[in-house]
Amino acid sequence: MFNDNLISLIQQKLPECLKPDCSFEPQYYPHILDKQLEKVLKNFLELKYKDETVLMMLDTSLFGRGKNGLVFTDRAVYLKLTFGTTYYCKYSDWKVDKDETEKILKLSRDDAFFYSAFLDNLMNDICNLKKYEGLFEEEEKAEEKAKKAAARKKAAKKSDGTKTASKKSTSKKTEGKKASGKKAEDKESAEGENKNKKKQKSLIKDDTIFQVADFVIDVLSDPSK
């Protein structure tokens, strides 16, 4: 509803903001030409919000190159003067009934296309409309909600990173324990094999001794052998 009211307000008030030398035709949502909007977005308009809607676009560059102009969205106004930089002002930042145009939009009073005072009045009317419809409070709540969501996302990402690092550390410890256990098993197995070898050698030695003893006994008991 607000967008419809805002478009109607701009359509009513914008003509008085334009000087006679401004022969460019404004385009209003939903009849803004996509190709022309693409040029403006590429050359000077950088929307501040993902859900921001362009409601009025006035391209003041020669041959419609989208190099400069005036854009009203549902959230803010964007202004790019010839050979100048792009200026941006949220409606909620505009000071109603105070001449803030030169400070915020950098609009000179002798600008070739716009009457500064009438543009001031249009901004005042837009802000009063938003206040009347209670939209500033809704925007503030939405922005606060978005900030909290971004903070939660950042905290969750940090927590995931900590968990991943902890898992890697635990995995390394587990691998270390497994390796240590395997070494202990290998050592125990080697010690067992050595014991068996020593035992077998001892049995062979004992068997040899017994055989020699039996032979000596046989010779002593029967010298004829």
Side-chain angles (χ1 to χ4, degrees):
M1 185 64 180
F2 168 74
N3 288 354
D4 293 336
N5 292 336
L6 180 54
I7 291 172
S8 297
L9 176 61
I10 296 173
Q11 285 177 323
Q12 178 185 352
K13 296 288 186 177
L14 183 63
E16 64 187 26
C17 299
L18 305 180
K19 291 185 177 181
D21 291 338
C22 184
S23 58
F24 306 98
E25 289 294 328
Q27 298 179 35
Y28 295 93
Y29 179 86
H31 304 296
I32 297 174
L33 299 177
D34 292 337
K35 290 184 178 180
Q36 194 62 33
L37 180 58
E38 287 176 5
K39 291 180 183 179
V40 172
L41 288 169
K42 179 181 179 181
N43 290 309
F44 87 82
L45 179 61
E46 184 179 350
L47 298 176
K48 303 296 182 179
Y49 302 93
K50 291 181 179 179
D51 61 343
E52 197 168 2
T53 303
V54 175
L55 301 181
M56 192 288 298
M57 182 184 73
L58 177 64
D59 182 1
T60 58
S61 59
L62 293 176
F63 310 112
R65 293 178 298 171
K67 297 289 185 178
N68 39 265
L70 177 68
V71 172
F72 285 97
T73 73
D74 57 336
R75 299 282 192 92
V77 59
Y78 298 80
L79 176 65
K80 171 71 163 55
L81 302 178
T82 306
F83 306 116
T85 56
T86 302
Y87 299 101
Y88 154 80
C89 178
K90 277 174 54 179
Y91 300 135
S92 57
D93 291 336
W94 182 262
K95 307 301 181 183
V96 177
D97 296 328
K98 290 185 180 180
D99 186 4
E100 295 285 335
T101 307
E102 290 185 1
K103 295 180 181 178
I104 297 176
L105 300 180
K106 308 298 180 185
L107 180 61
S108 171
R109 293 188 182 279
D110 58 356
D111 183 78
F113 299 129
F114 305 103
Y115 288 113
S116 177
F118 285 103
L119 192 57
D120 282 354
N121 292 335
L122 175 54
M123 289 294 293
N124 291 340
D125 291 340
I126 290 173
C127 292
N128 287 330
L129 176 63
K130 288 183 76 72
K131 284 183 178 180
Y132 177 77
E133 297 196 8
L135 295 177
F136 283 145
E137 292 79 2
E138 291 182 13
E139 287 180 6
E140 289 176 359
K141 290 179 181 178
E143 289 179 11
E144 186 65 26
K145 187 177 180 180
K147 287 180 181 178
K148 289 181 179 180
R152 285 196 298 268
K153 186 176 180 180
K154 185 177 180 181
K157 188 175 181 181
K158 185 177 180 181
S159 177
D160 289 342
T162 303
K163 288 180 180 179
T164 301
S166 178
K167 286 181 180 179
K168 287 182 179 179
S169 177
T170 303
S171 177
K172 286 183 179 179
K173 288 181 180 179
T174 303
E175 290 175 359
K177 288 181 179 179
K178 288 181 178 179
S180 177
K182 190 173 185 304
K183 286 182 180 179
E185 290 178 1
D186 292 342
K187 184 177 180 181
E188 186 178 347
S189 177
E191 289 177 352
E193 289 180 2
N194 289 333
K195 287 181 180 179
N196 289 333
K197 288 180 180 179
K198 288 181 180 179
K199 186 175 181 180
Q200 289 177 358
K201 288 181 179 179
S202 177
L203 291 173
I204 293 171
K205 184 177 180 181
D206 292 343
D207 186 54
T208 302
I209 292 172
F210 288 139
Q211 289 179 1
V212 172
D214 289 340
F215 177 76
V216 171
I217 291 172
D218 289 341
V219 170
L220 291 175
S221 60
D222 187 0
S224 62
K225 292 184 180 180

